[in-house]
Amino acid sequence: MDIDWRALFLVGIVSLAVAVVVVVLVAFALVGLSARSGAARHGGEASAPSASVGTATACVCLVAAAAIVGFGLYLVVV
């Protein structure tokens, strides 16, 4: 039995990169959701993002993270 170390290394690097991307997307989603409470605390200042922008950002990030996870599961199953 022969192990293709280059392919194994490539799979490890891609897995690490995708895991980091998913974690960053979820972190951005949490920051976007926290904009709702932050906008209320700051009294609507210009520096605080609006609640609708934060919610939209969170939705986009969570959908992207779910798509990445779903594609990974698709690759495993098929």
Side-chain angles (χ1 to χ4, degrees), residues 6-71:
R6 196 166 135 200
L8 182 63
F9 180 73
L10 182 63
V11 168
I13 294 298
V14 169
S15 298
L16 180 65
V18 170
V20 168
V21 167
V22 168
V23 168
V24 167
L25 284 172
V26 172
F28 281 152
L30 291 174
V31 169
L33 287 176
S34 70
R36 288 198 262 175
S37 63
R41 267 188 279 137
H42 292 295
E45 291 180 13
S47 64
S50 68
S52 59
V53 171
T55 303
T57 302
C59 288
V60 168
C61 289
L62 288 176
V63 165
I68 291 170
V69 170
F71 182 67

